[in-house]
Amino acid sequence: MLELILNQVSRWAIPALFFTFLFLGWVRRVPVYEAFIQGASEGFYTAVRIIPYLVAMFVAIKVFRVSGAMELLTRFLAPLLELLGLPAEVFPLAVMRPLSGSSALGIATELIKTHGPDSFIGRLASVMQGTTDTTFFVLTIYFGSVGVKRYRHAVALGLLADLTGLFASLLICRHLFG
Amino acid sequence: MLNLIWLFLLLGGISVAALNGRIELVTETLFKGANEGVRMCLDLIGLMALWLGMLEIARQAGLIRLVARLVRPLTVLLFPEVPPRHPALGAIIMNISANILGLGNAATPFGLKAMEELQKLNPHPDTASDAMCTFLAANTSCLTLIPATMIGVRVAAGSHNPTEIVGPTIFATGFSMVFVLAVDFLWRNFLRARFRRLKKC
């Protein structure tokens, strides 16, 4: 039942949102086409402004992963994470998640395929992936787009968010599926 | 901080590749990574244009202002230095809503718009303001109602109950959002002053 509702929600969300915006615009006599063009033309410049930041981040993260340094870091952090009760199989996911969304998704998919979607590890990987965010990516492009160079406590807060999400996932999965 | 992390990733990566005898991979990966960064941006251009266009219609129709008024008690608390009618709040709300609904590709354009508006209020343009840090904390810890991507992966892997992760995800993201925003609030209002005084002693 819940599954049916959720599937319908994700099918309808965007069309419904567009319909609402356009319909309200029409009712409130907004020149919708002109307004759209006006907003859309800003999009191009913002996207182009973040190219250098994206290139810098992608290059660093890819080199770090391809070289095998990622594996080393995971192995180095393993005892610490094990102490906190995280299964060894999900370490790479936990370490990769703040750095690269697509790589983390790749690792999570791999874990789900190997251990089965309904295993503890499969469920934990699913929840972890949905719970944490690509913090470095978000920081880089959000601050990069406006030229902020000193990030102050934003980095610490972002990583704290990932860490909290990680352990909240572990706790709830232990409790429900453990 | 990011300087150090970036340096660590690159120097660490190159050193490990050298030690592993895979140095030729570095060259290839550097070029590939650079291209991928640009390609990602090209993908973003269309999405940015589409969503910012729709956002402008919503703004001119007064929809954003209406939503902003509804959540004002919360935004006044979290973003005390942003004037209650400032357009930054509208963009922040749209970004958070898109995150909550799992519309990842709509969240980025709204988020970049929010940063642009916050930057207009920032007295030191090269340094992140308190409001920016709070906004990023809210963004990265954001509550997720429908983890659509992961449900999709689980369906593809033949799960018996692909949506059973919805409840745990709501719990875990809700918890981390409240926790991180509380930490930020305490830091801004109480801890930072004390920390500074300690340092002076």
Side-chain angles (χ1 to χ4, degrees):
Chain A
M1 185 60 191
L2 183 69
E3 188 183 344
L4 197 77
I5 294 171
L6 288 173
N7 283 339
Q8 292 303 318
V9 168
S10 47
R11 262 185 67 205
W12 284 83
I14 290 183
L17 201 64
F18 273 49
F19 186 86
T20 314
F21 283 10
L22 291 167
F23 185 75
L24 272 173
W26 178 55
V27 171
R28 301 293 298 268
R29 294 171 193 276
V30 173
V32 280
Y33 181 74
E34 280 91 344
F36 181 85
I37 300 296
Q38 193 191 329
S41 49
E42 283 176 43
F44 179 78
Y45 296 102
T46 312
V48 169
R49 246 192 335 253
I50 59 178
I51 289 185
Y53 301 90
L54 280 174
V55 169
M57 259 306 158
F58 270 66
V59 165
I61 290 165
K62 272 188 157 308
V63 167
F64 194 71
R65 208 181 62 231
V66 169
S67 65
M70 184 75 214
E71 265 178 73
L72 266 180
L73 181 70
T74 313
R75 224 177 293 157
F76 182 72
L77 288 176
L80 189 77
L81 294 168
E82 201 147 13
L83 209 69
L84 299 162
L86 208 68
E89 290 87 344
V90 296
F91 291 163
L93 177 60
V95 178
M96 187 49 96
R97 191 64 180 106
L99 292 174
S100 161
S102 51
S103 316
L105 182 62
I107 297 172
T109 310
E110 192 57 44
L111 282 174
I112 288 168
K113 267 190 202 141
T114 318
H115 298 272
D118 301 321
S119 65
F120 180 71
I121 288 173
R123 285 159 166 164
L124 180 61
S126 310
V127 177
M128 265 172 59
Q129 176 71 15
T131 301
T132 45
D133 205 338
T134 343
T135 302
F136 282 106
F137 175 79
V138 173
L139 284 172
T140 312
I141 64 168
Y142 279 32
F143 280 142
S145 71
V146 292
V148 165
K149 292 190 183 74
R150 296 185 52 220
Y151 295 5
R152 291 177 60 221
H153 53 287
V155 182
L157 281 174
L159 291 178
L160 182 69
D162 286 329
L163 216 59
T164 320
L166 190 73
F167 285 107
S169 314
L170 184 63
L171 276 179
I172 185 91
C173 285
R174 271 273 166 73
H175 185 73
L176 283 180
F177 310 123
Chain B
M1 174 103 179
L2 208 73
N3 263 321
L4 278 179
I5 293 172
W6 195 67
L7 209 61
F8 170 75
L9 289 175
L10 275 173
L11 290 184
I14 297 172
S15 316
V16 174
L19 291 174
N20 282 346
R22 285 191 284 185
I23 195 74
E24 70 287 346
L25 277 178
V26 173
T27 319
E28 192 193 318
T29 312
L30 282 171
F31 296 148
K32 242 193 228 161
N35 272 328
E36 215 167 289
V38 177
R39 214 172 311 127
M40 167 124 205
C41 162
L42 289 179
D43 289 341
L44 256 178
I45 292 177
L47 284 172
M48 292 284 299
L50 179 67
W51 283 106
L52 289 182
M54 292 316 276
L55 186 69
E56 185 61 26
I57 295 176
R59 194 187 65 78
Q60 291 192 16
L63 188 68
I64 308 287
R65 218 176 330 143
L66 182 78
V67 179
R69 200 176 303 157
L70 288 175
V71 295
R72 191 170 298 165
L74 206 64
T75 51
V76 167
L77 189 74
L78 290 174
F79 302 100
E81 70 269 45
V82 180
R85 286 170 195 281
H86 198 271
L89 292 175
I92 290 174
I93 291 158
M94 294 305 290
N95 171 265
I96 303 288
S97 317
N99 265 324
I100 290 175
L101 293 175
L103 308 174
N105 58 20
T108 309
F110 293 148
L112 292 175
K113 181 85 186 157
M115 272 323 242
E116 197 186 309
E117 295 293 339
L118 287 175
Q119 181 71 335
K120 288 179 190 162
L121 295 168
N122 188 357
H124 310 288
D126 65 331
T127 307
S129 63
D130 276 354
M132 287 174 169
C133 293
T134 305
F135 170 55
L136 277 172
N139 182 294
T140 51
S141 65
C142 193
L143 175 74
T144 306
L145 288 184
I146 309 157
T149 314
M150 286 327 286
I151 295 175
V153 170
R154 292 171 61 79
V155 170
S159 168
H160 294 299
N161 189 359
T163 51
E164 70 185 349
I165 57 159
V166 172
T169 305
I170 291 176
F171 170 85
T173 55
F175 178 81
S176 78
M177 189 171 187
V178 170
F179 180 74
V180 171
L181 287 179
V183 168
D184 175 56
F185 186 80
L186 290 173
W187 171 251
R188 261 189 298 132
N189 292 295
F190 307 106
L191 300 174
R192 182 162 49 193
R194 201 166 295 173
F195 190 69
R196 281 208 187 117
R197 231 173 295 141
L198 270 179
K199 258 195 190 162
K200 267 183 206 157
C201 287

